Amino acid sequence: MNRREFLQVLAVASAGGMVLNTDYASAQVAANKFYDLPRFGNVHFLHFTDCHAQLKPIYFREPDVNLGFGSQFGQTPHLVGEHLLKAHNIKPGTPEAHAFTYLDFEKAAATYGKVGGFAHLATLVKKMKASRPGALLLDGGDTWQGSGTALWTNGQDMVDACLALGVDIMTPHWEMTLGEERVKEIVEKDFKGKVSFLAQNIKTNDFGDQVFDPYVIREMNGVKVAIIGQAFPYTPIANPRYMVANWTFGIQEEHMQQMVQEVRAKGAKVVVVLSHNGMDVDLKMASRVTGIDAIMGGHTHDGVPTPVKVKNASGVTLVTNAGSNGKYLGVLDFKVNAGKVSDFRYKLLPVFSEMIPADSAMNQLISKMRAPFESKLSEKLAVTEGLLYRRGNFNGSFDQLILDGLMAVKNAEIAFSPGFRWGTSLLPGQAITMEHLLDQTAITYPWTTVSTMSGEMIKTILEDVADNLFNPDPYYQQGGDMVRVGGLQYDINPTAQAGKRINNMMLRGQLIDPNKSYKVAGWAPVAEEAKAVGGEPIWDVMSKYLRDIKTVKAKSLNMPKIEGIKGNPGFGV
């Protein structure tokens, strides 16, 4: 441990209320106590999700805008900042406060260091498994996409890393953007006999047959446990349909209920759903499908410190969500007596990479996989003067940078960038490398587009995305954030009816004319026609832009005027 790491361990331990001697041994003891989680019960699950191919430690800022309305107002996961801390009884100024909120992010990140990294996660997984015989490691998906190396190896780096990590069970989403053939190849070859790849809601178009196993039943410490997989229901809408042309998705609530009854009939005493629905969808499903003990969820990247207890017709279902980017490991312990769950303990552990020693075998594997690409990944493109991040319902500073680059390089009046929730953060003064750029853009449909759109079409696009985000029925939400907009300003009322949420669209101080045409740049088109056109990949456009400007100035975000958010605990800006 070097001096900087030593001081960070001291800071973490001190923030946790520990009185320390300023020596290595005391600091290390304090760090170990942070991850001292005694075993409870006799059935154990470890859970990570949405790591988005981040093998190395990173910075990641949690959102300051995560709005909920109607029945979702003031409820988890629609809490940010101090509201989240209060709801989950977390003390301000602690390591957990930094992990779960955006508060004092730059200062806290400098104090506590980076988070995640598979080598550090591997050490923590081994520690938890050592004290929990038979514990199963669940991967909630969005694992094989999100980095340059995952893109260039067609997901193989993450497949190998997950096998080395000891993943037992997985369900997918962005994995599907590698295409049907590649997904089947991994499942049938790399994962065969090692990882159960589950999805009760993926079926063939022609006869409705299951594409993957819907569930698996394992015995743990004398107890039969069932895990049911729930893939992202809207994959063919949120991502290109042609990549999964022969498969259907959907929530399939009725089939989920059938699967629960089926595994119960086969003797399962504990039933867990490994879900990539998004948390609001999971909460609704938990209220309607009976017989599930816990839903361990992902997709919306919500780091939720404590489970939500959802009542339904036959009892209570726990709903959890384990954040993103390898930043957390969820630990769920059940006590099973007389054939039923009698009690539980849950802890979402932040992975502070400088408090957890790296697993040497995983470190060597990561170094080997990255070696052919290191020179390309490490290319310095520019330096940022401000904090760069992605997350938040309406914009992020890295999204803003992409919009500015699109408008400049493509000479467009307006730019759109998808409301993706994946992407790492950079502190002021950091160099923006090619790796950082790919953390924001590495997808299999990266083409940039330039099109002419009427004002009416622009409003329709904004209205459609707003309905996806703010529809009062969670089953109609697809889990992303609002499309990021450059050049254009607008007002939004999330509580208004569909088609009436967007108003006062302005460009350079003038109202957008519904009948006038505007030049609009974008990227990540889902239409197959865009693939045929083959515009420049977004990373080529942005790398040229960054090399040209050399320094990224800190600037205010292009945020819409939001109506109806006074007192909303999901708004912290």
Side-chain angles (χ1 to χ4, degrees):
M1 180 178 285
N2 61 35
R3 181 177 181 276
R4 179 171 176 270
E5 292 167 340
F6 167 63
L7 291 174
Q8 285 173 338
V9 171
L10 284 175
V12 171
S14 178
M18 301 171 188
V19 179
L20 301 175
N21 297 317
T22 54
D23 62 80
Y24 171 82
S26 297
Q28 194 60 57
V29 167
N32 289 338
K33 285 184 178 180
F34 188 82
Y35 292 105
D36 184 12
L37 191 63
R39 173 188 175 185
F40 176 84
N42 51 350
V43 172
H44 317 286
F45 300 97
L46 311 178
H47 177 226
F48 73 97
T49 189
D50 298 275
C51 73
H52 284 285
Q54 295 303 319
L55 289 174
K56 301 286 282 184
I58 50 106
Y59 294 112
F60 184 77
R61 178 188 183 272
E62 298 295 332
D64 53 22
V65 183
N66 189 351
L67 295 171
F69 298 93
S71 62
Q72 300 164 24
F73 181 92
Q75 302 298 312
T76 299
H78 301 288
L79 302 168
V80 300
E82 293 90 349
H83 301 288
L84 185 149
L85 298 183
K86 184 177 180 181
H88 295 280
N89 296 313
I90 298 173
K91 292 181 180 179
T94 60
E96 289 94 339
H98 169 53
F100 291 110
T101 74
Y102 67 93
L103 299 171
D104 298 318
F105 178 77
E106 293 175 31
K107 181 180 178 181
T111 299
Y112 301 125
K114 293 183 177 180
V115 294
F118 260 50
H120 307 276
L121 181 62
T123 298
L124 188 56
V125 167
K126 286 180 178 179
K127 178 180 175 68
M128 293 299 116
K129 281 194 170 185
S131 63
R132 290 165 169 77
L136 293 172
L137 179 59
L138 312 183
D139 175 355
D142 280 8
T143 305
W144 308 343
Q145 175 276 334
S147 72
T149 55
L151 181 71
W152 296 329
T153 65
N154 213 14
Q156 193 64 47
D157 65 331
M158 295 309 302
V159 171
D160 292 346
C162 286
L163 289 171
L165 189 65
V167 168
D168 294 293
I169 297 163
M170 181 182 182
T171 201
H173 170 208
W174 272 89
E175 287 70 21
M176 297 299 161
T177 63
L178 297 180
E180 291 178 8
E181 290 186 11
R182 176 59 175 152
V183 172
K184 293 284 279 187
E185 178 185 35
I186 292 169
V187 172
E188 294 171 0
K189 294 181 180 180
D190 298 83
F191 280 7
K192 187 176 181 180
K194 299 173 183 176
V195 179
S196 297
F197 192 89
L198 307 179
Q200 72 89 20
N201 59 328
I202 301 181
K203 300 175 183 177
T204 59
N205 278 337
D206 47 10
F207 298 110
D209 297 327
Q210 291 283 165
V211 177
F212 307 101
D213 290 337
Y215 61 80
V216 65
I217 297 177
R218 303 279 180 90
E219 186 163 311
M220 187 188 307
N221 303 317
V223 179
K224 277 191 175 182
V225 301
I227 300 90
I228 304 172
Q230 175 79 357
F232 180 52
Y234 296 110
T235 298
I237 300 172
N239 307 106
R241 178 75 182 112
Y242 60 84
M243 292 178 171
V244 285
N246 297 301
W247 299 343
T248 65
F249 291 73
I251 294 172
Q252 299 195 31
E253 180 186 286
E254 291 184 7
H255 191 253
M256 174 64 77
Q257 184 68 74
Q258 292 172 15
M259 294 299 96
V260 174
Q261 292 167 348
E262 188 170 309
V263 297
R264 289 287 185 186
K266 291 182 177 181
K269 305 305 180 186
V270 178
V271 178
V272 168
V273 171
L274 178 60
S275 167
H276 205 92
N277 277 332
M279 191 157 184
D280 286 326
V281 178
D282 284 337
L283 291 168
K284 180 174 178 179
M285 178 176 280
S287 73
R288 294 163 61 91
V289 178
T290 61
I292 301 171
D293 293 298
I295 299 178
M296 305 191 81
H299 180 58
T300 39
H301 293 199
D302 301 306
V304 179
T306 53
V308 178
K309 297 178 181 179
V310 180
K311 294 181 180 180
N312 52 54
S314 70
V316 174
T317 298
L318 305 176
V319 177
T320 72
N321 199 296
S324 66
N325 287 276
K327 184 178 175 180
Y328 307 98
L329 180 69
V331 183
L332 176 61
D333 295 326
F334 282 119
K335 180 184 287 185
V336 180
N337 291 324
K340 63 171 59 176
V341 172
S342 61
D343 203 355
F344 79 95
R345 298 287 185 274
Y346 179 78
K347 183 75 172 178
L348 186 56
L349 293 169
V351 182
F352 289 108
S353 57
E354 294 185 22
M355 289 178 63
I356 306 171
D359 179 77
S360 58
M362 183 67 80
N363 234 357
Q364 290 173 15
L365 177 62
I366 292 170
S367 296
K368 179 181 178 181
M369 292 188 296
R370 288 173 57 92
F373 311 109
E374 283 289 3
S375 60
K376 188 172 182 179
L377 292 170
S378 61
E379 180 191 355
K380 177 182 172 181
L381 302 174
V383 173
T384 180
E385 291 187 349
L387 176 68
L388 292 180
Y389 63 91
R390 176 182 279 168
R391 270 309 306 274
N393 286 160
F394 297 102
N395 209 349
S397 49
F398 215 123
D399 296 304
Q400 185 79 54
L401 175 59
I402 292 172
L403 293 165
D404 291 344
L406 278 170
M407 289 189 293
V409 175
K410 299 298 183 180
N411 191 30
E413 300 171 277
I414 296 169
F416 288 155
S417 187
F420 294 144
R421 292 192 171 189
W422 46 271
T424 59
S425 305
L426 281 81
L427 300 182
Q430 273 193 269
I432 305 171
T433 64
M434 179 62 76
E435 180 164 21
H436 294 135
L437 176 58
L438 289 165
D439 285 350
Q440 312 289 327
T441 60
I443 61 175
T444 54
Y445 51 106
W447 306 288
T448 52
T449 60
V450 178
S451 54
T452 301
M453 292 186 186
S454 68
E456 183 180 18
M457 176 58 71
I458 292 169
K459 185 177 189 298
T460 297
I461 291 171
L462 293 178
E463 290 282 9
D464 285 349
V465 181
D467 191 56
N468 162 54
L469 184 59
F470 297 116
N471 192 297
D473 186 344
Y475 278 11
Y476 290 94
Q477 298 173 7
Q478 294 169 26
D481 282 315
M482 191 67 187
V483 62
R484 280 59 169 117
V485 178
L488 178 74
Q489 290 80 44
Y490 65 93
D491 298 351
I492 182 170
N493 184 346
T495 63
Q497 293 181 351
K500 297 181 179 179
R501 294 186 177 97
I502 306 297
N503 294 290
N504 296 324
M505 297 189 305
M506 306 282 288
L507 180 65
R508 295 187 294 272
Q510 299 294 317
L511 280 171
I512 291 287
D513 185 339
N515 299 311
K516 184 179 176 180
S517 294
Y518 299 88
K519 188 177 181 181
V520 181
W523 69 285
V526 299
E528 192 164 10
E529 294 78 13
K531 177 184 177 182
V533 173
E536 283 181 285
I538 183 63
W539 51 76
D540 284 351
V541 171
M542 287 305 302
S543 59
K544 292 175 186 176
Y545 177 69
L546 290 169
R547 291 187 193 106
D548 183 51
I549 64 172
K550 296 182 175 59
T551 300
V552 176
K553 303 290 185 181
K555 62 184 295 186
S556 299
L557 294 181
N558 182 36
M559 291 279 287
K561 179 182 176 183
I562 313 166
E563 300 175 5
I565 58 169
K566 185 177 180 180
N568 193 307
F571 189 81
V573 178

